[in-house]
Amino acid sequence: GEKVEQHESTLSVREGDSAVINCTYTDTASSYFPWYKQEAGKSLHFVIDIRSNVDRKQSQRLTVLLDKKAKRFSLHITATQPEDSAIYFCAASRTSSGQKLVFGQGTILKVYL
Amino acid sequence: NAGVIQTPRHKVTGKGQEATLWCEPISGHSAVFWYRQTIVQGLEFLTYFRNQAPIDDSGMPKERFSAQMPNQSHSTLKIQSTQPQDSAVYLCASSSGLGVYEQYFGPGTRLTVL
């Protein structure tokens, strides 16, 4: 079945630097790619998404890039802040089949001073 | 907007007992999803309703798990004869429906089977 691989299990960056988290997917029919943030002891919080009809989407300090040919997408966080520290999950879905999300394994992002 | 509500937040059951988990989606949302989160398996899709109708239960363990959505304001996930491997955080999410894909997650129910 569909798999989503999240390449970085842990990522440590200095405050103010950029962070990049990379994901790949196997299902060529995937067309929707959201990212979620999970802080310690809390649930998933939506941060940004991208659909397959575009290859880039930006929201403030967050940018998502999508390379459909390589079946790869990435989350770029600029000017990182300590409050960005959390687990980030990428996901993919076939919107045609009902939107169920297949998640990556998560990346622990640590922003240090 | 209270967001997605899940009750109870924590549940402890003995092996072989039944557990029922409740989810109240965001008012007006027509799609409800159930996921399970464990350290080992990560986040796994269980089942999905749209307009109260079951659409996809491909992630549900077949024998002991069942889900229902009797009305638009709540869904239940029932686990019969719970086993220690059922211990997980069960997450409910809702989305507003076709054409809008963002899913909003509830706080989860942490199920511990002793």
Side-chain angles (χ1 to χ4, degrees):
Chain A
E2 156 88 278
K3 286 187 179 179
V4 175
E5 296 284 342
Q6 206 159 335
H7 296 202
E8 297 83 7
S9 58
T10 304
L11 185 60
S12 292
V13 299
R14 186 183 298 275
E15 181 183 10
D17 287 350
S18 295
V20 181
I21 303 172
N22 296 284
C23 290
T24 52
Y25 59 97
T26 59
D27 186 354
T28 53
S30 293
S31 56
Y32 175 66
F33 307 90
W35 288 84
Y36 285 86
K37 176 182 181 181
Q38 187 173 39
E39 297 177 60
K42 296 188 178 179
S43 189
L44 299 174
H45 178 73
F46 172 86
V47 290
I48 192 170
D49 60 8
I50 191 167
R51 302 187 191 189
S52 58
N53 59 340
V54 297
D55 55 15
R56 177 190 175 96
K57 182 176 180 180
Q58 182 174 355
S59 174
Q60 298 182 317
R61 297 186 295 110
L62 305 177
T63 301
V64 182
L65 302 179
L66 174 63
D67 181 343
K68 292 188 292 292
K69 190 173 292 186
K71 290 189 282 186
R72 180 174 59 216
F73 59 113
S74 56
L75 174 67
H76 299 246
I77 307 173
T78 59
T80 53
Q81 302 167 0
E83 51 265 38
D84 294 329
S85 296
I87 304 175
Y88 289 81
F89 292 94
C90 61
S93 79
R94 290 185 179 191
T95 54
S96 61
S97 67
Q99 308 170 33
K100 71 178 183 184
L101 296 174
V102 178
F103 285 91
Q105 303 93 315
T107 296
I108 301 172
L109 174 64
K110 299 178 183 177
V111 180
Y112 59 91
L113 301 175
Chain B
N1 187 344
V4 176
I5 298 171
Q6 289 189 251
T7 55
R9 294 293 308 276
H10 302 273
K11 186 171 182 66
V12 179
T13 65
K15 182 179 174 181
Q17 293 184 327
E18 181 177 288
T20 300
L21 313 180
W22 293 68
C23 170
E24 180 178 330
I26 293 172
S27 177
H29 281 193
S30 61
V32 171
F33 304 80
W34 286 94
Y35 297 87
R36 175 168 66 178
Q37 185 175 26
T38 62
I39 297 294
V40 175
Q41 298 295 330
L43 284 154
E44 303 174 284
F45 168 80
L46 294 176
T47 189
Y48 157 49
F49 295 86
R50 186 190 300 147
N51 294 322
Q52 300 172 232
I55 303 297
D56 182 349
D57 67 353
S58 59
M60 293 277 273
K62 295 303 178 191
E63 293 190 348
R64 300 179 293 103
F65 284 61
S66 62
Q68 294 183 326
M69 190 161 186
N71 57 60
Q72 63 184 7
S73 64
H74 88 274
S75 174
T76 58
L77 179 67
K78 183 179 291 185
I79 309 171
Q80 295 179 309
S81 185
T82 54
Q83 303 297 309
Q85 61 265 31
D86 299 332
S87 297
V89 176
Y90 289 83
L91 295 165
C92 177
S94 71
S95 73
S96 61
L98 291 175
V100 179
Y101 308 133
E102 182 179 334
Q103 295 182 24
Y104 296 85
F105 282 78
T109 294
R110 181 176 296 279
L111 176 65
T112 302
V113 182
L114 302 176

